[in-house]
Amino acid sequence: MKFPEFDYLRVDSLSDALAAYEAADGEGIYLAGGHSVMPSLALRLQAPAVLIDIAHIEELKGVSIQDDWLRIGALTRHVEIAEHPLIRQHAPILAQAAPYVAHPAIRNRGTIGGNLALSDPASEFPAVIRALRARLEIVGPTGVRYVEADDYFIDLYTTVIEPGEILRSILVPPQQENSVYAFDELVRRRGDYAMVGLAIQGIYEQKKVNDISIVFCSVGNIPMRAVTVEKHLVGSGLDEEHISSALGLLGEDIDPADDPHLPADVRLHMARVLLGRLLRRIKNLSDMTVEVAA
Ligand SMILES: Cc1cc2nc3c(=O)[nH]c(=O)nc-3n(C[C@H](O)[C@H](O)[C@H](O)COP(=O)(O)OP(=O)(O)OC[C@H]3O[C@@H](n4cnc5c(N)ncnc54)[C@H](O)[C@@H]3O)c2cc1C
């Protein structure tokens, strides 16, 4: 389909972007990588009066360490998330998840800021940043505010970002010693959105779980944290008995909806399969690392 008519405005600073949004009187849309905005225009799901191109704003770029936290600018593209040395070192689960996002052409332009602003429930990065207990830096006409990832996602495609606000960066807390992580997903074809995806980040020392975040994508309206399972696993050695009882408890944390392509009980079963797989992977890799070091 053809795009609806709209004006295009390129801005080079955050203040110009905010002013342009204000001037558009509720009829503006920010454009970053464009891989969600452009299809939505072509499908006529949106018809903005003005497309405000924020892709050249320096304040939204760059990956750095600030006060021991990893700061990822909103314009960081998916391909950079996969490859950037600081991300690989300080948030390796993000780099591990990035190749699961779509295809190379989309990863070359899509940005983590656009991805998290859109917040598709099947998207990989929202689950990962929740597992990392990251913080989101949001800029608006009244200044800057910081929101914890646990509080950021509200509902389907809905976050705490208010109209006109801009996600400036993602702040990842410093990695603790003995951090463990794993990301994987089940898909029909590589590059598709996940049928079920799972991000696990935790601390496993002396063969015991000290802390763990378990977050699924594609099983609810927002990335879903399995808090009952997390509590059950803390203090355990990820032995088969604990893993099996954790899989049993998962139904207390997630309750996927039926959909025409995937019945709810099948999705829950897939979530259990993925959870068991990743917990075993974490245990085996960590135990092996300890034994090699000894
Ligand atoms: C064929 C196809 C397959 C895909 N498969 C996957 C997949 O498997 N997994 C996945 O996660 N994604 C997938 N995507 C989506 C892709 O990751 C998008 O690029 C991403 O979700 C949006 O990022 P963007 O930079 O392109 O944002 P844009 O399309 O430019 O913007 C998306 C939305 O966010 C807003 N926005 C953008 N940046 C900001 C900001 N900094 N602050 C506030 N609002 C902002 C825009 O106004 C818009 O509403 C797919 C896309 C396509 C076309």
Side-chain angles (χ1 to χ4, degrees), residues 30 32-37 78 101-102 106 110-111 114-115 117 123-124 167 193:
Y30 294 129
H35 272 305
S36 296
V37 166
H78 305 340
V101 180
I106 289 150
T111 67
N115 188 285
S123 218
E124 291 81 1
L167 177 60
Y193 277 100

Side-chain angles (χ1 to χ4, degrees), residues 201-221:
Q201 178 80 36
I203 299 170
Y204 183 76
E205 56 191 357
Q206 294 179 340
K207 301 199 175 183
K208 288 241 175 318
V209 175
N210 262 1
D211 187 19
I212 193 160
S213 291
I214 297 177
V215 188
F216 285 90
C217 55
S218 254
V219 300
N221 284 0

Side-chain angles (χ1 to χ4, degrees), residues 29-39 46 54 60 74-75 78 100-103 106 109-118 120 122-126 161 165-168 185 191-194:
I29 293 187
Y30 294 129
L31 173 73
H35 272 305
S36 296
V37 166
M38 300 317 277
Q46 307 191 85
I54 59 172
L60 298 177
L75 286 175
H78 305 340
Y100 291 88
V101 180
H103 305 284
I106 289 150
R109 287 200 65 91
T111 67
I112 190 164
N115 188 285
L116 294 173
L118 184 70
D120 189 309
S123 218
E124 291 81 1
F125 291 148
I161 297 184
E165 285 189 323
I166 295 177
L167 177 60
R168 177 150 79 184
E185 65 184 29
D192 281 1
Y193 277 100

